[in-house]
Structure formats: C-alpha cells, structure tokens
Amino acid sequence: MKLVTYLQNGKEQVGLLEGETVRPLPYDSMNALIETAAVKKLPSQAGESVPLDAVRLLAPIPRPRQDVVCLGMNYHDHLKEAAQYDAAAFTKEKPVAVYFSKRVTEAVPPEGIIPSHRDLVRRLDYEVELAIVIGKTAKDVKPEEAGDYIFGYTVLNDVSARLLQTEHKQWYFGKSLDGFTPMGPCLVTADEFAYPPVLDISAKVNGELRQSSNTGNLINSITDVLVELTRGMTLLPGTIIATGTPAGVGMGFDPPKFLKPGDVVECTIQGIGTLRSRVE
C-alpha cells in the first residue's frame, strides 16, 4: 500500500494512494494508523476516492513525535567524498555506525519549499535517503526478526548546513533548521518490498543527476542498525530512521555545488516515488 497524508478543504487526512486518486482512511493521523496496525489489522473500509489533483499532499508523517534517527556516512563512496571535503569533521576512525538525530518541527511536503536561511547558512546541501518507519515497539530486536518491526519506507532529504555542521563539531544544529526535512511523497508499506529492500536511489538538482546508487550498498544494514539501537533504547511505533546518503552531495564536487535559491531538488527511490522541493 502507498499511504499519504493530505490536506483537503482545510482538513488534514490520511489516505490510500491509488494511481491518480486518494481514498480517505478513518484515522486522525499517520501515527494513529501505525499504532493501530501494531496491535491489530487495519480495517479495509475506506471513503470515496478523490482525484489526487484535488488535494495537497503533506509529508507522510508531517510532525514526527520524536527526532529522526539518522545514519551518517553509511555508503562507502559518500564516506570517501566527505573525508575529502573535511577530514577532521568526517573521517571515521572505526568501522562503526555514526548516529545523530535531526529535529523536525514539521516535515516539508512534496513540492514544498526548502528555506535557504540566508542570514545563517552559507553552504546548503542535499542528501537523498531511504527512511524506514518503525511499526511496533522495538526492544532487543533479534537479527532474524528485524524486518518484522518495519511498517514502511519513504524518501527523506537530509538537508544540511555544512558550515554549521562542521563548525560545531557535531551535526544536530546544522541538520535541524526549520524546513530541513523534506519527506514523501508517500509511505509504502513494508510488504511491498523484499527484505532488506534493494532499491535504486538518486537525486537531481535542476535536472542534473548528482546522486545515483542502490540501497543494497549500505555499510551498516537496516538489520544491523535495528539490532544495535534496540540493545540500549526502545524504538516506538512511528520512529523514523534515515539510513544515510550515497556519493554526489554538493560538498563532494570540486568545486562544491551547494544549493542556492531557485534550485529544484528531486530525490527518487525505486518503488516509492520522487520527492521534489524548491529552494527559496
């Protein structure tokens, strides 16, 4: 299933995306739908379909209940380009996962705006990522059961202010400015893919292909991440985990190709769709 959150007549609703139509579902929010699915099957009843062009899509989970958990430098090619840009900030001394969190007051919807924060940001960058959404309370997850804890997948653009990120020697501020988390266009339930998902992932800026890889190239797999994190913390239904970005981000070019007002970023993952945003 492809699930969406959308706005119709000023009302926020959850629905089932069926081609060029949306069928409303009886839930107050995507988080409520996920929590219901964790304890029982979702009801099959739905409302009358409406044309997709008659509604405005929002991010699948517009207001995450907790910070997004992110993986840094989780593709070998991106690890290399990041170290070339700033060895002090991005060199990994050990082959372990790099975790950080990203504050999201409200996720940017499909066709939404990435604010450039010109008074604060000088090096604005993009990162296409596969985001997983946890479907049930996860603690001490066993490797063979990891896939059972995933509700679905979406596309996330981990927008980054590189100078803030490197100046502060940690990444929270430079990753968490308002408007720095475009997400969507939909949330695809896990049963639509084999586990682990092996999907083409790419990003374009103004039509130029910048990033192109496959989620099968993750250094730390989804299973590795769920097993490691849940040894010491509980992941609740609706938790979002961004799994990292491949090479081709703006800082990886010589000279760098950072974003500027007017640029259009398109992040695409096979089987999920394209998340399009414009910089202002």
Side-chain angles (χ1 to χ4, degrees):
M1 290 188 293
K2 289 187 174 182
L3 301 169
V4 294
T5 300
Y6 63 97
L7 205 61
Q8 184 181 26
N9 299 324
K11 181 182 178 183
E12 189 173 305
Q13 300 187 70
V14 176
L16 180 63
L17 183 62
E18 300 174 313
E20 294 300 312
T21 65
V22 178
R23 189 180 295 273
L25 294 170
Y27 299 95
D28 292 334
S29 67
M30 191 68 74
N31 278 320
L33 184 155
I34 294 168
E35 289 177 348
T36 300
V39 295
K40 63 182 181 180
K41 276 191 171 184
L42 295 175
S44 58
Q45 74 266 24
E48 185 176 345
S49 293
V50 296
L52 184 58
D53 60 10
V55 306
R56 182 164 70 88
L57 288 184
L58 303 177
I61 303 177
R63 291 165 294 279
R65 289 177 173 170
Q66 297 176 305
D67 286 1
V68 174
V69 179
C70 300
L71 273 289
M73 299 180 291
N74 202 28
Y75 288 77
H76 286 291
D77 53 3
H78 177 58
L79 172 60
K80 181 179 178 180
E81 71 175 0
Q84 289 175 338
Y85 175 75
D86 190 328
F90 294 112
T91 298
K92 286 176 67 173
E93 296 180 357
K94 297 179 180 179
V96 296
V98 174
Y99 297 109
F100 62 95
S101 62
K102 187 177 181 79
R103 175 60 57 104
V104 186
T105 303
E106 185 163 357
V108 176
E111 304 296 332
I113 299 300
I114 299 171
S116 56
H117 293 279
R118 293 180 226 190
D119 59 334
L120 183 63
V121 175
R122 296 294 179 269
R123 301 174 186 173
L124 185 66
D125 215 342
Y126 54 89
E127 296 187 2
V128 61
E129 307 204 9
L130 174 69
I132 67 174
V133 178
I134 299 300
K136 59 182 179 179
T137 301
K139 182 76 171 85
D140 295 321
V141 171
K142 297 179 176 61
E144 64 274 15
E145 298 175 353
D148 298 336
Y149 286 86
I150 297 173
F151 178 81
Y153 304 93
T154 191
V155 184
L156 186 145
N157 184 353
D158 179 20
V159 179
S160 307
R162 296 300 185 196
L163 195 56
L164 290 179
Q165 181 183 8
T166 54
E167 278 187 339
H168 284 270
K169 304 302 180 186
Q170 49 73 37
W171 301 353
Y172 190 72
F173 186 32
K175 297 278 191 173
S176 299
L177 302 186
D178 291 344
F180 271 24
T181 311
M183 190 191 311
C186 61
L187 174 58
V188 181
T189 53
D191 59 346
E192 294 289 327
F193 304 109
Y195 182 83
V198 180
L199 308 171
D200 291 336
I201 179 171
S202 64
K204 293 179 179 180
V205 178
N206 301 328
E208 176 193 2
L209 183 64
R210 298 276 186 90
Q211 296 182 273
S212 181
S213 188
N214 187 281
T215 60
N217 295 325
L218 292 174
I219 297 173
N220 300 101
S221 70
I222 294 171
T223 295
D224 293 338
V225 168
L226 291 183
V227 169
E228 181 169 61
L229 287 178
T230 62
R231 284 176 181 163
M233 67 173 71
T234 301
L235 302 180
L236 299 177
T239 297
I240 301 167
I241 302 176
T243 57
T245 197
V249 300
M251 71 174 178
F253 290 89
D254 185 14
K257 295 182 177 182
F258 293 119
L259 297 173
K260 60 186 183 303
D263 284 348
V264 174
V265 185
E266 295 173 291
C267 297
T268 302
I269 298 180
Q270 178 185 4
I272 301 176
T274 295
L275 171 64
R276 186 176 182 273
S277 311
R278 182 165 54 85
V279 181
E280 280 193 358

